[in-house]
Amino acid sequence: MPTKTIIEPFRIKSVEPIRWTTREQRKDLLRAAHYNLFLVRADDVLIDLLTDSGTGAMSTHQWAAVMEGDESYAGSRSFDRFKASVQDIFGYTHVIPTHQGRAAERILFHVMCKTGDVVPNNTHFDTTRANVEFVGAEAVDLLLPEARRPEARLPFKGNMDVAALDELIARVGRKRIPLAMLTVTNNSGGGQPVSMENARAVSAVCHKHGIPLYFDACRFAENAYFIKLREPGYSAKSPKEIAQEMFALGDGCTMSAKKDGMANIGGFLCTNDDILARQEQDLLILTEGYPTYGGLAGRDLEAVAVGLQEALEEDYLRYRIASTAYLGDHISEHGVPIVQPPGGHAIYLDAKAFLPHIPVDQFPGVALAAELYLEGGIRSVEIGSLMFAGAAQMELVRLAIPRRVYTQSHIDYVVEIILRVWEKRMQIRGMRLTYEAPFLRHFTAHLEPVSGSTAATE
Ligand SMILES: *Cc1c(COP(=O)(O)O)cnc(C)c1O
């Protein structure tokens, strides 16, 4: 019988100290970083929830595989292991290693798209959108309208709007759509899963029109586990069987191994199309490296080969999904507004509802992220008006959970800090920009608290 308590399915063999700072120090550090947490040094952060990308802990099996890395330039044994592991899960004919996900995206869109083309996706991740737009094509997000409401609890809130896909194809014509993409899980949409039924419907529409379907597969294992838990007919299947079934619906994929590859770097591009594969490999040689390493060391290929399989282990996924939900549930039960239901890799605070007294042009998400750092040394990231300027749909603060890194007591601490900030939310002031770069401004922006009649935070 399964127990009520879900434990971390590992013990800890190597530890990395984390460093406390005092509130006084953090006040100075925040000011010196111009209230932008990207500009804070990692050593000055106690719990780092900036991203789950490349920040996970590798297993003993991965570290052992690293020692087996074959650093041969061509025909490396490590590439054979990498390819076998990828094909076991994804099933595609061609496997092209890249240094991370965005390199796979750049090569894919360069080869498949031209100016005036349109690429539909449930929601483009920011690098995916940027790479589509870089080749002159248009990136169209086809999320379900009800999924845009943070509080709406849908089991598969990452699904693509199939009717909208049909309508888009009818409107712009099949010739302008070189491929469609499905992002699993839907990162920008709150880490929300896509159902098998939806993937099947999207695949059917695409293939009826002869449009190839590619998966943005970064969190494929988390998505497979959500299907196992939530979709009728899948409870007896293993996460790997579910992933295999889903990828069989597509023609290829892009992948960042920094997510469900459980590695600190790496990625790949897959396709079943021989002609495209050749063009992609030519481009790979030009900027990434020879096709049997693609910008990675042999030891990185080994770490990914093992990591992809570990990400599909049920004990790991049970813990992974439960620990993210643990954070979400423990704050939302005290009234803290979050994107519901909790996603696979992150909890998103709804900063607009958290700080209703701060207007959107005073960056409520930035103000909330700064306060979490000041209160407890926690680093999160604003996903709202600072990141997306006028195009922001919501004002969110993302707390991304690195894989296998923090224990439940770390998360209990995060809960305590968030609830403390929640208690004094009305004292938090808005922010004003004092410097911004012409694009991707959130990485380097400078801000300061607005002065005014509201009580000062500090
Ligand atoms: C991280 C991510 C990417 C890009 O991968 P990188 O390894 O960061 O280049 C693409 N799509 C999604 C959904 C992601 O989460």
Side-chain angles (χ1 to χ4, degrees), residues 53 100-102 105 125 127-128 183 187 216 218-219 256 258-259:
S53 175
Q100 56 185 94
R102 68 197 69 183
E105 292 169 349
F125 182 65
T127 62
T128 321
T183 304
N187 183 2
D216 179 339
C218 295
R219 297 180 182 81
S256 169
K258 301 172 74 171
K259 321 295 178 35

Coordinates of all heavy atoms in Angstrom, one line a residue, residues 53 100-102 105 125 127-128 183 187 216 218-219 256 258-259, ligand 1:
S53 N 16.6 25.1 -14.9 CA 17.3 24.8 -16.1 C 18.8 24.6 -15.8 O 19.5 25.6 -15.6 CB 17.1 25.9 -17.2 OG 17.9 25.6 -18.3
Q100 N 22.5 23.2 -26.2 CA 21.2 23.3 -25.4 C 20.0 23.4 -26.3 O 20.2 23.4 -27.5 CB 21.3 24.3 -24.3 CG 21.7 25.7 -24.7 CD 21.8 26.7 -23.5 OE1 22.9 26.8 -23.0 NE2 20.7 27.2 -23.0
G101 N 18.9 23.6 -25.7 CA 17.6 23.6 -26.5 C 17.6 24.6 -27.6 O 17.2 24.4 -28.7
R102 N 18.0 25.8 -27.3 CA 17.9 26.9 -28.3 C 18.7 26.7 -29.5 O 18.4 27.2 -30.6 CB 18.2 28.3 -27.6 CG 19.6 28.5 -27.2 CD 19.7 29.6 -26.2 NE 19.1 29.3 -24.9 CZ 19.0 30.1 -23.9 NH1 19.5 31.3 -24.0 NH2 18.5 29.7 -22.7
E105 N 16.6 24.7 -31.7 CA 15.6 25.5 -32.2 C 16.1 26.3 -33.4 O 15.5 26.4 -34.5 CB 15.1 26.5 -31.2 CG 14.3 25.8 -30.0 CD 14.0 26.7 -28.9 OE1 14.6 27.8 -28.8 OE2 13.3 26.3 -28.0
F125 N 7.9 29.0 -25.9 CA 8.8 29.5 -24.9 C 9.6 30.7 -25.5 O 9.6 30.9 -26.7 CB 9.8 28.3 -24.6 CG 10.8 28.7 -23.5 CD1 10.4 28.9 -22.2 CD2 12.1 28.7 -23.8 CE1 11.3 29.2 -21.2 CE2 13.1 29.0 -22.8 CZ 12.7 29.2 -21.6
T127 N 12.7 31.6 -26.0 CA 13.8 31.4 -27.0 C 13.2 30.8 -28.2 O 13.7 31.0 -29.3 CB 14.9 30.4 -26.4 OG1 14.3 29.1 -26.2 CG2 15.5 31.0 -25.2
T128 N 12.2 30.0 -28.1 CA 11.5 29.4 -29.3 C 10.9 30.5 -30.1 O 11.1 30.6 -31.3 CB 10.4 28.4 -28.9 OG1 10.9 27.7 -27.7 CG2 10.1 27.4 -30.0
T183 N 4.4 22.1 -27.0 CA 5.4 22.3 -25.9 C 4.9 21.5 -24.7 O 3.8 21.8 -24.2 CB 5.6 23.7 -25.5 OG1 6.0 24.4 -26.7 CG2 6.6 23.9 -24.5
N187 N 5.6 25.4 -20.5 CA 6.4 26.2 -19.5 C 5.9 27.6 -19.3 O 5.5 27.9 -18.2 CB 7.9 26.3 -20.0 CG 8.8 27.0 -19.0 OD1 8.4 27.4 -18.0 ND2 10.0 27.2 -19.4
D216 N 8.3 20.3 -28.5 CA 9.3 21.0 -27.7 C 9.2 20.2 -26.4 O 8.3 20.3 -25.6 CB 8.9 22.5 -27.4 CG 9.9 23.2 -26.5 OD1 10.6 22.5 -25.8 OD2 9.9 24.4 -26.5
C218 N 11.0 19.6 -23.6 CA 11.9 19.8 -22.4 C 11.4 19.1 -21.2 O 12.3 18.6 -20.4 CB 12.0 21.3 -22.2 SG 12.8 22.2 -23.5
R219 N 10.1 19.1 -20.9 CA 9.6 18.5 -19.7 C 8.7 17.3 -20.0 O 7.6 17.1 -19.4 CB 9.0 19.5 -18.8 CG 10.0 20.6 -18.3 CD 9.4 21.7 -17.5 NE 10.5 22.6 -17.2 CZ 10.8 23.6 -18.0 NH1 10.2 23.8 -19.1 NH2 11.8 24.5 -17.6
S256 N 15.8 20.4 -24.5 CA 16.8 21.0 -23.6 C 17.1 19.9 -22.6 O 16.2 19.7 -21.7 CB 16.4 22.3 -23.0 OG 17.3 22.6 -22.0
K258 N 18.8 20.3 -20.1 CA 19.0 20.9 -18.8 C 17.7 20.8 -18.0 O 17.7 21.2 -16.8 CB 19.3 22.4 -19.1 CG 20.6 22.6 -19.9 CD 20.8 24.1 -20.3 CE 21.2 24.9 -19.1 NZ 21.7 26.3 -19.5
K259 N 16.6 20.3 -18.6 CA 15.4 20.1 -17.9 C 15.2 18.6 -17.6 O 15.9 18.1 -16.7 CB 14.2 20.6 -18.7 CG 14.4 21.9 -19.5 CD 14.7 23.2 -18.7 CE 15.0 24.4 -19.4 NZ 14.3 24.7 -20.7
Ligands
LIG1 C1 14.4 25.9 -21.5 C2 13.5 25.8 -22.6 C3 13.9 25.9 -24.0 C4 15.3 26.3 -24.3 O1 16.3 25.5 -23.9 P1 17.7 26.0 -23.4 O2 18.5 24.8 -23.1 O3 17.5 27.0 -22.3 O4 18.3 26.7 -24.6 C5 12.9 25.7 -25.0 N1 11.7 25.4 -24.7 C6 11.2 25.3 -23.4 C7 9.8 24.9 -23.1 C8 12.1 25.4 -22.3 O5 11.7 25.3 -21.1

